[in-house]
Amino acid sequence: MSIESSPAGSAVVIGDALIDEIRDESGVRELVGGAALNVAVGLRRLGIETTLIAMVGADEAGDHIREYLADHGVTLIASEAPRGSSRAVVQRAANGEPEYVFNEAAQRRSIRYTPAARAAIESADLTVVSCFPFDAAAEVGALGDVLAGARVAIDPNPRTGMLADREEFVRGFERIARGAQIVKVGADDAATLYDGDLDALRARLRGLGVQAVLATAGSDGAIIETDEGTSVAPISELPGRVIDTVGAGDATLAAVAAGLVSGAPSTQEAWRSLLQRAMDIAAATCRAEGGLLRTPESLSDADRGIRGS
């Protein structure tokens, strides 16, 4: 449930919901996850009434996903999943970064927009799209139709294990990104989809009419570029050691999106303040395993409730 007082407004998040099967030296364990799901739960924990539109199976994994979302007060509008719920096997590479192997359901995920889904998007103050199959032309076409007239935030979040066609993904992503309220990209997105130049990608997106670009660069912090100016924030220093960085990007997006639900900041100082708050929240989220958003004020509550990623 919410860990902050509820501001006005609501959000819809469109994208993935899955089970992370984590394998490491301590054994095998499962956490509810997915980038879009993380953002949806994060928004709700920041006080925003939130609906998640995602493919979820009628199986045991789907039951866990539904229970987790209900526990955190997120409304789910589920698309049918003929191959069952999505799953990712997660292991650590030699450099400590997570490596994902996705099942067929995740690789061939599809979202259908029921009347309830369309109504939710039409009534929402902000619609967030994360980890969407932008390389599937039919999926992009349907998404473009339902987003007509909506205020949109996008995180392309390409996963190499789900990426079938890089050039088509870029075309689909840029089609939906044109005129978006905000687009979040990271150094890994620039490397996977473009030539690795994050600054050039920021400029490209601004050239597409994106109103604000949030660029995250790992240990180098983050930048927000808008018509009001460019704001930079370093990684926030908080008590306690970093446990897991997997949910940092999703927490950053959720925090910035929460600040945009009631309208975009009108000054560079307000953008800078929003970015700094997002970096504080990302740092707090990294102080516990999984992608469940934490705020600096809620770190003592890190072990409460159902854990997720």
Side-chain angles (χ1 to χ4, degrees):
M1 286 294 192
S2 173
I3 56 175
E4 293 196 353
S5 58
S6 181
S10 64
V12 167
V13 183
I14 302 172
D16 62 332
L18 50 77
I19 297 294
D20 283 328
E21 182 181 313
I22 301 173
R23 301 181 179 181
D24 57 23
E25 64 280 357
S26 65
V28 179
R29 59 197 180 282
E30 295 184 353
L31 301 177
V32 174
L37 181 144
N38 287 342
V39 173
V41 172
L43 281 164
R44 185 67 194 99
R45 285 172 65 80
L46 294 174
I48 306 298
E49 294 292 335
T50 306
T51 297
L52 174 65
I53 300 173
M55 190 186 75
V56 178
D59 50 19
E60 184 177 358
D63 291 342
H64 290 315
I65 292 169
R66 289 181 174 86
E67 179 185 6
Y68 181 81
L69 290 169
D71 184 71
H72 289 288
V74 174
T75 299
L76 172 65
I77 299 178
S79 289
E80 291 185 4
R83 299 173 184 84
S85 295
S86 298
R87 175 177 292 268
V89 176
V90 187
Q91 295 178 299
R92 296 286 176 181
N95 63 1
E97 290 299 311
E99 292 183 336
Y100 298 86
V101 177
F102 296 94
N103 68 356
E104 185 182 11
Q107 294 178 39
R108 300 179 65 180
R109 66 202 188 282
S110 179
I111 295 175
R112 295 293 176 263
Y113 303 97
T114 63
R118 291 175 178 273
I121 293 168
E122 289 174 2
S123 64
D125 296 289
L126 184 71
T127 299
V128 184
V129 181
S130 182
C131 202
F132 186 85
F134 285 111
D135 51 357
E139 297 290 329
V140 173
L143 179 64
D145 288 344
V146 298
L147 292 182
R151 296 176 67 237
V152 180
I154 302 173
D155 182 353
N157 212 339
R159 304 291 184 89
T160 54
M162 292 193 285
L163 185 62
D165 187 323
R166 174 180 174 273
E167 292 184 358
E168 186 64 30
F169 191 102
V170 169
R171 281 193 292 270
F173 160 55
E174 292 189 352
R175 172 183 168 183
I176 301 300
R178 293 180 185 276
Q181 182 76 42
I182 191 166
V183 172
K184 173 192 170 292
V185 288
D188 51 348
D189 301 326
T192 301
L193 298 177
Y194 295 88
D195 60 2
D197 189 334
L198 187 56
D199 291 336
L201 178 53
R202 283 168 43 210
R204 180 181 182 90
L205 292 170
R206 290 283 286 155
L208 292 175
V210 176
Q211 296 175 46
V213 177
L214 167 62
T216 59
S219 60
D220 291 329
I223 295 173
I224 282 185
E225 183 176 338
T226 71
D227 289 342
E228 286 71 38
T230 300
S231 300
V232 181
I235 294 293
S236 296
E237 296 293 336
L238 295 179
R241 67 186 182 93
V242 172
I243 303 296
D244 187 357
T245 62
V246 168
D250 300 332
T252 303
L253 177 60
V256 172
L260 299 180
V261 166
S262 60
S266 59
T267 67
Q268 185 176 354
E269 181 56 38
W271 279 108
R272 184 181 296 112
S273 177
L274 179 59
L275 178 60
Q276 186 58 63
R277 177 60 175 168
M279 296 303 286
D280 291 346
I281 287 173
T285 300
C286 291
R287 264 61 184 177
E289 184 181 40
L292 180 63
L293 181 146
R294 274 87 173 178
T295 66
E297 299 82 8
S298 71
L299 284 177
S300 62
D301 194 34
D303 293 325
R304 177 183 175 189
I306 298 174
R307 300 169 70 201
S309 64

